[in-house]
Amino acid sequence: MTELSKRIVEAVLMSLGESFEQKFYDSEFRNCHGYLRIINYTPPKSVTQEEVEGLGMHTDMSCITIVYQDQIGGLQVRSKEGKWLDINPCEETLLVNIGDLMHAWSNGKLRSSEHRVVLKRLVNRFSLAFFWCFEDEKAIYAPNEVVGEGHLRAYKPFVCADYLKFREISSTNGEKKFEKVGFTVKDFAGTSTD
């Protein structure tokens, strides 16, 4: 998954401009790391409406996230117009989300996808998610070449670990969870230009 993440980020950097991959991959993304989570969404005992929210609207805190969802489905992504679109599961297919760290690093040129999970059936839903992130101590600051001449930075510089703390919530048993639903990097480091 780490090798796949590297290849995806290299391709994404190439989409930003000629030679971006060569110039920025080693200097900016060399120390990225990843972690895999198995996510189980347990439905309520009964469903009184057509769909039940399994996890509310959120963005991922990673640079990129690679997701495999089971055949149950339920993943939805929000379009630029604000409409929720179903991402139907497809065997042997992985979904790639741009996360908040890449969104801020790219000065908003790469959009962190707002997504949610809805449960439409009374069965457990599983997904695998691989989050590929900058190292905790990395300062996120969009390079001049990415911002572009004459444009302003949409995000104030910040340290990854500080953003993780911003998104962190403590559960009742003291465990830390990083899913402060509804908050994004815009809430943490956005400027008035974004």
Side-chain angles (χ1 to χ4, degrees):
M1 292 303 290
T2 296
E3 285 306 310
L4 179 59
S5 298
K6 289 176 182 178
R7 292 178 73 182
I8 290 169
V9 168
E10 288 171 351
V12 167
L13 289 174
M14 284 189 270
S15 77
L16 289 175
E18 266 186 59
S19 75
F20 273 46
E21 180 267 329
Q22 293 174 349
K23 178 164 183 136
F24 294 116
Y25 184 81
D26 281 339
S27 64
E28 298 288 323
F29 298 89
R30 173 184 62 239
N31 295 323
C32 285
H33 63 278
Y35 60 95
L36 181 70
R37 285 179 59 193
I38 300 171
I39 306 166
N40 176 19
Y41 298 91
T42 305
K45 300 268 187 251
S46 66
V47 176
T48 56
Q49 63 235 38
E50 200 171 298
E51 21 183 81
V52 174
E53 203 168 75
L55 180 60
M57 189 286 297
H58 66 285
T59 55
D60 293 336
M61 297 175 289
S62 57
C63 290
I64 63 166
T65 305
I66 302 171
V67 178
Y68 178 78
Q69 63 175 330
D70 68 9
Q71 73 280 4
I72 302 300
L75 181 61
Q76 295 182 331
V77 67
R78 188 183 227 164
S79 70
K80 279 183 146 181
E81 295 76 31
K83 183 178 178 185
W84 288 107
L85 307 169
D86 288 322
I87 304 298
N88 295 319
C90 185
E91 196 172 335
E92 298 183 22
T93 300
L94 299 172
L95 174 77
V96 177
N97 285 333
I98 296 293
D100 286 349
L101 298 178
M102 184 67 91
H103 179 98
W105 184 88
S106 71
N107 205 46
K109 289 183 172 145
L110 300 168
R111 188 167 72 99
S112 184
S113 58
E114 294 178 338
H115 55 285
R116 68 181 184 181
V117 174
V118 294
L119 305 174
K120 299 180 181 186
R121 301 184 349 206
L122 290 175
V123 295
N124 282 24
R125 177 195 182 273
F126 289 92
S127 66
L128 296 172
F130 184 78
F131 300 91
W132 204 60
C133 308
F134 287 124
E135 63 273 22
D136 287 349
E137 56 282 345
K138 177 159 180 61
I140 306 303
Y141 187 72
N144 291 334
E145 296 91 334
V146 174
V147 174
E149 193 172 322
H151 293 90
L152 299 174
R153 281 186 173 75
Y155 297 92
K156 297 174 265 187
F158 64 92
V159 174
C160 281
D162 293 338
Y163 181 54
L164 296 179
K165 286 177 188 162
F166 170 76
R167 291 278 302 263
E168 182 179 273
I169 54 175
S170 295
S171 63
T172 53
N173 64 2
E175 284 182 25
K176 304 289 186 201
K177 292 187 175 182
F178 296 106
E179 295 297 345
K180 194 180 276 185
V181 174
F183 289 92
T184 70
V185 72
K186 290 177 189 177
D187 301 304
F188 180 70
T191 65
S192 58
T193 62
D194 187 34

